[in-house]
Amino acid sequence: MSENLIEVRNLKKFFPIKRGLLSKTVGHVKAVNDVSFDIKPGETLGLVGESGCGKTTAGRSILRLIEPTAGSVKFEGKEVTKMGVTEMRRLRREMQIIFQDPYSSLNPRITIGGMLAEIIKFHGLRTTQAAINDRVAELLEIVGLRAEYSRRYPHEFSGGQRQRIGIARALSVEPKFIVCDEPVSALDVSIQSQVINLLKDLQSQFGLTYLFIAHDLSVVEHISDRVAVMYLGEIVEIGDAKELYHNPKHPYTQSLLSAVPHPDPRRKSERIILTGDVPSPANLPNGCYFHPRCPKAFTDCSRVHPVLGNDGSGHHTRCLLWPESAPAGEKITVTENQTA
Ligand code: SF4
């Protein structure tokens, strides 16, 4: 059996653009465009990129909350994209999601205890009412809330507390894998670190595996074992978190990292400001998708689409400045003033 808990291969999610009276398909928004990665048991993969880069769509396609257009997703070696309704329902217990805005996914008319009890009952995880109540109290305590809060309604909690409730809900079915979809983006900075620390503690307590989605590299730095950077539906760089933070190879990752404040002022790097707008995923540029904004672009960049090349150490980059990213048969000439 594979050593990976999750294996994603050539995942695509295209949304059709329809026009006219007959709703004819005139194009596609290529939200996720040939994405592949693995996640090992107990590991956290950070998935980072600007809003609209396809990271949330990728996370939801893996869970089949939206149906992928093509590609393969395996959970413990089993193909998820081909599962029927019954098998998928069983799998939902193993794969959960924590949303950016937990409030919108909580029923305002049901107490928190009632909501958790319903899930526990539905999945047959406890049979007697007393056992269900005990489990609800335990879940609230696990996420740092008092057991008596079970009688409260969602509107009675702060943003940070609601996110803890979202985490309790995900944990209530005892999953192995959780997609954390920008779980701290809507929270104050002081609360963000509390929630990240809680997720880290829960991971070591329960052996959880995370796909942690964020738009900011600083958020995923302390929780990720590996990091993948997405741009316009593609992974442009993926590697060990420490290696990627210390030796970013892709100009897009370099620009994202230049915006992250460093605690050591001596390591201050110059901020790289990207000019121009992100092109539309419905009308992708030729060559490297990043070339219209790339400060290091050279002649071949508007002609050749780079592959996600491995430098031999597991650090993958999609940039023609690196020999491993040149597609087979393409001769790339890097001009003298361009350096990686
Ligand atoms: Fe920039 Fe060219 Fe590398 Fe694309 S291939 S990231 S445009 S240098």
Side-chain angles (χ1 to χ4, degrees):
M1 206 172 99
S2 163
E3 56 165 0
N4 300 311
L5 185 76
I6 300 286
E7 283 178 6
V8 178
R9 291 288 174 275
N10 310 109
L11 186 70
K12 292 183 182 174
K13 180 63 192 176
F14 296 172
F15 295 99
I17 305 165
K18 299 201 182 266
R19 291 246 170 83
L21 268 180
L22 299 173
S23 286
K24 208 171 146 216
T25 301
V26 293
H28 287 93
V29 173
K30 296 181 175 175
V32 177
N33 198 356
D34 218 2
V35 161
S36 302
F37 57 77
D38 301 324
I39 314 179
K40 292 187 173 55
E43 188 183 41
T44 298
L45 175 69
L47 188 59
V48 179
E50 288 164 294
S51 75
C53 72
K55 55 195 189 300
T56 288
T57 307
R60 291 179 187 202
S61 301
I62 291 166
L63 301 181
R64 282 185 67 193
L65 295 177
I66 47 179
E67 286 298 331
T69 306
S72 157
V73 177
K74 287 188 178 159
F75 175 83
E76 293 184 322
K78 282 176 270 169
E79 182 59 55
V80 174
T81 59
K82 303 226 168 15
M83 283 183 185
V85 180
T86 320
E87 220 180 336
M88 206 52 224
R89 194 174 297 148
R90 227 176 294 137
L91 191 74
R92 292 254 177 262
R93 261 192 62 191
E94 311 268 22
M95 301 165 81
Q96 285 287 303
I97 184 164
I98 298 168
F99 295 101
Q100 177 180 354
D101 176 12
Y103 192 57
S104 62
S105 58
L106 296 172
N107 186 334
R109 284 184 288 274
I110 299 182
T111 62
I112 294 314
M115 178 267 295
L116 291 172
E118 233 173 62
I119 300 170
I120 296 165
K121 236 187 274 179
F122 178 82
H123 289 281
L125 295 164
R126 300 289 187 280
T127 43
T128 66
Q129 194 55 50
I132 292 171
N133 293 345
D134 285 351
R135 177 63 177 152
V136 168
E138 184 187 36
L139 281 166
L140 290 176
E141 278 162 11
I142 283 171
V143 298
L145 295 172
R146 303 222 308 254
E148 57 264 34
Y149 286 1
S150 68
R151 291 188 290 277
R152 293 190 183 178
Y153 289 88
H155 71 269
E156 296 178 79
F157 293 94
S158 67
Q161 287 174 323
R162 281 180 203 149
Q163 197 49 285
R164 287 174 191 267
I165 294 163
I167 296 169
R169 181 173 55 184
L171 289 180
S172 65
V173 291
E174 300 161 21
K176 290 181 180 161
F177 172 62
I178 302 180
V179 172
C180 306
D181 186 7
E182 304 224 31
V184 298
S185 303
L187 304 176
D188 289 348
V189 176
S190 57
I191 311 290
Q192 284 187 356
S193 51
Q194 290 175 18
V195 172
I196 289 176
N197 286 337
L198 172 66
L199 287 166
K200 277 174 82 171
D201 291 347
L202 295 171
Q203 180 168 43
S204 47
Q205 210 177 333
F206 301 111
L208 297 166
T209 304
Y210 293 144
L211 175 65
F212 195 102
I213 298 170
H215 58 257
D216 185 342
L217 270 168
S218 65
V219 169
V220 298
E221 181 171 8
H222 299 294
I223 195 165
S224 303
D225 300 294
R226 284 184 307 128
V227 172
V229 179
M230 272 186 89
Y231 186 77
L232 275 179
E234 290 185 327
I235 290 180
V236 295
E237 185 159 8
I238 181 168
D240 172 81
K242 280 201 185 74
E243 159 69 10
L244 189 134
Y245 279 83
H246 285 100
N247 181 26
K249 294 171 86 176
H250 196 284
Y252 180 59
T253 314
Q254 290 167 357
S255 77
L256 290 180
L257 269 175
S258 77
V260 174
H262 199 280
D264 180 353
R266 288 166 304 179
R267 287 201 47 206
K268 216 169 166 185
S269 59
E270 207 178 307
R271 178 87 196 263
I272 303 166
I273 311 274
L274 297 178
T275 52
D277 293 328
V278 183
S280 163
N283 187 19
L284 293 165
N286 289 331
C288 171
Y289 296 163
F290 188 53
H291 88 263
R293 301 172 77 202
C294 180
K296 294 186 175 175
F298 56 100
T299 317
D300 286 330
C301 300
S302 57
R303 182 183 66 82
V304 180
H305 189 70
V307 299
L308 190 62
N310 185 353
D311 70 357
S313 72
H315 189 161
H316 296 68
T317 313
R318 191 188 291 277
C319 170
L320 297 173
L321 291 171
W322 300 92
E324 65 266 25
S325 292
E330 287 286 356
K331 191 175 167 334
I332 305 299
T333 311
V334 180
T335 47
E336 241 175 42
N337 58 346
Q338 303 296 334
T339 52

